[in-house]
Amino acid sequence: MSHQPAIPALAAADPEVAGLVEDEAKRQHEKIRLIASENYVSQAVLEATGTVLTNKYSEGYAGKRYYEGQQLIDQVETLAIERAKSVFGAEHANVQPYSGSPANLAAYLAFAKPGDTVLGMALPDGGHLTHGWSVSATGKWFTPVRYGVGKETGRVDLDQVRDLAREHRPKLIFAGGTAIPRTIDFPAFAEIAREVGAVLVADIAHIAGLVAGGAHPSPVGHAQVITTTTHKTLRGPRGAMILSDAEHAKAVDKAVFPGLQGGPHNHTTAAIAVALGEAAKPSFADYAHAIVANAKALAEALVERGYDLVSGGTDNHLLLIDLTNKGVAGKPAAQALDRAGIELNYNTVPFDPRKPFDPSGIRLGTAAITTRGLRPEHQPQVAEWIDRTVAAVAKDDEAALPAIAAEIRELLASFPIPGYTA
Ligand code: DSN
């Protein structure tokens, strides 16, 4: 049983860290991982992240660096950029943002000034911290206005978006978020942004792999600026990219470097290039559609068991469940599910009467289980395990959990993951 690629030098030099890495690989093998923002990267992506490219500084862009020795780094970054443009059909790509939050901050730096008004989705309704939530720098340094979902529909309220945009004339409008189970209507957002003269930023961090694989409509041609992490449904390393049209390209690049960041993480850039190479293959389109099929099957099985899904279901990889009708809060449910072998996160639900650190809901996603080969026919069983665990929490029956974890380990033994050999 070991991590793949093998880590003998690490084991010899630092058994303490190596032991933790080995244990984490085993943990990832033995759990049903349903955290909607996580995945399993391929072994090729893992190998790229562990290369000598981590040794190199390369502030600047290809052909215009502030350090020498960029003969090969320039080629790596150019490859990643060209693949990103090709996979998404974008006019411009910047692959240097360290992760999603810096990518979004770069959009602010490029197209707004401190104090300017920005319109984003409220965090409890499914938005992201960096879309102007009060505890984030973006909420402190800019003037945030927030839209949400309809109380009855659980879906983004585009009438509210339009009304708020007309009233507040924001410089930036963010479309996208972290807990949106339904298709994002990029053309509708674009129309609103055009009307009020705002730059539309589509944050597709969650759905980038679905967009790449044709399982969610693309924002290209609608949003002038598109930010995304690379490690969720896109199945790359932890990192981010900004795509844009040609008109906004220069401002995006200037904001990332020298505006916000120093040297790019070249080992990550290489791994992003590898992931984008994988995303360009026809098999990735099958993968993206399989993620959605799994999410829909899981949603159906949970609804059959009386679970209250925000918006009633899903169009993408993500399910948001309000556990109020089960008499259990999100946090104890998530913690018990973890002990039972199912990893997900507790989450606020729209109009949640509870606090963010102890909310009413849980959030699930199917990107990782789809990578390891689970299919719609497995989802009724996954739903049954979730249901048994939630029922155990309601009855304070901790003793029920180890049996569930054992059943899960038995099923998953037939579904290997990249990164670990059992
Ligand atoms: N933490 C990411 C997520 O889980 O959606 C967003 O930052």
Side-chain angles (χ1 to χ4, degrees):
M1 297 194 300
S2 64
H3 186 274
Q4 292 301 322
I7 50 171
L10 179 59
D14 194 330
E16 202 176 351
V17 171
L20 293 170
V21 172
E22 291 289 2
D23 288 352
E24 173 63 11
K26 182 166 183 283
R27 193 194 68 79
Q28 291 188 14
H29 174 73
E30 292 183 345
K31 289 268 188 72
I32 292 190
R33 295 177 58 236
L34 292 175
I35 290 181
S37 45
E38 295 184 353
N39 210 327
Y40 295 97
V41 298
S42 70
Q43 197 154 327
V45 169
L46 276 179
E47 286 180 7
T49 60
T51 61
V52 294
L53 301 187
T54 198
N55 296 338
K56 190 73 195 114
Y57 246 114
S58 52
E59 283 181 1
Y61 292 102
K64 285 174 282 179
R65 306 276 187 189
Y66 290 80
Y67 297 80
E68 298 312 312
Q70 309 296 343
Q71 297 83 356
L72 303 157
I73 296 297
D74 276 2
Q75 293 181 54
V76 169
E77 189 170 323
T78 302
L79 199 55
I81 288 169
E82 291 309 318
R83 287 182 183 177
K85 285 161 63 179
S86 161
V87 164
F88 290 95
E91 290 174 350
H92 178 71
N94 184 309
V95 295
Q96 294 194 4
Y98 299 142
S99 203
S101 297
N104 282 342
L105 205 50
Y108 287 85
L109 186 61
F111 305 111
K113 297 215 169 358
D116 277 351
T117 299
V118 297
L119 179 58
M121 192 170 187
L123 187 69
D125 285 34
H128 189 252
L129 278 169
T130 56
H131 298 177
W133 199 240
S134 48
V135 294
S136 153
T138 62
K140 293 182 193 295
W141 295 345
F142 299 88
T143 306
V145 180
R146 299 170 190 120
Y147 61 87
V149 297
K151 195 156 188 156
E152 297 307 317
T153 62
R155 294 173 187 243
V156 171
D157 183 347
L158 283 164
D159 291 334
Q160 187 195 23
V161 177
R162 189 177 304 102
D163 290 347
L164 289 171
R166 283 177 178 163
E167 184 184 344
H168 297 279
R169 316 291 296 184
K171 280 274 164 36
L172 294 179
I173 298 179
F174 278 89
T178 62
I180 305 173
R182 295 296 182 176
T183 300
I184 301 169
D185 189 344
F186 294 119
F189 271 100
E191 196 187 312
I192 295 167
R194 240 189 331 271
E195 184 188 326
V196 301
V199 172
L200 178 62
V201 183
D203 180 343
I204 61 165
H206 266 264
I207 55 169
L210 305 185
V211 172
H216 188 290
S218 172
V220 172
H222 303 293
Q224 297 101 320
V225 180
I226 299 162
T227 61
T228 183
T229 50
T230 44
H231 46 266
K232 299 184 173 90
T233 52
L234 190 56
R235 211 163 59 180
R238 303 200 77 82
M241 308 188 293
I242 305 179
L243 311 172
S244 77
D245 58 16
E247 187 189 335
H248 294 79
K250 216 167 153 187
V252 164
D253 283 354
K254 225 173 118 190
V256 174
F257 177 85
L260 271 185
Q261 299 188 171
H265 295 174
N266 297 308
H267 55 302
T268 299
T269 308
I272 289 173
V274 173
L276 289 166
E278 293 171 0
K281 294 190 177 134
S283 58
F284 195 86
D286 296 340
Y287 168 62
H289 286 91
I291 293 173
V292 178
N294 274 338
K296 284 181 182 293
L298 183 55
E300 197 178 314
L302 287 165
V303 167
E304 269 172 24
R305 290 176 176 275
Y307 283 82
D308 179 8
L309 270 60
V310 172
S311 83
T314 181
D315 297 328
N316 53 33
H317 65 302
L318 188 147
L319 284 62
L320 188 58
I321 304 176
D322 184 344
L323 290 174
T324 306
N325 69 348
K326 296 289 178 185
V328 174
K331 191 171 186 174
Q335 290 173 338
L337 283 159
D338 192 40
R339 295 194 292 279
I342 298 174
E343 189 186 341
L344 44 71
N345 67 282
Y346 59 88
N347 216 96
T348 50
V349 294
F351 309 99
D352 203 328
R354 302 175 67 93
K355 296 266 179 286
F357 201 57
D358 184 20
S360 299
I362 51 175
R363 186 187 68 158
L364 297 68
T366 52
I369 58 169
T370 306
T371 295
R372 72 185 299 175
L374 267 66
R375 291 292 173 258
E377 59 268 28
H378 300 110
Q379 304 312 320
Q381 177 60 74
V382 174
E384 195 261 344
W385 282 322
I386 292 172
D387 193 28
R388 255 163 72 195
T389 308
V390 170
V393 177
K395 288 185 291 187
D396 211 9
D397 180 13
E398 181 70 23
L401 307 187
I404 299 170
E407 288 171 34
I408 288 172
R409 279 197 300 275
E410 196 184 325
L411 174 80
L412 294 182
S414 315
F415 295 92
I417 62 166
Y420 181 76
T421 46

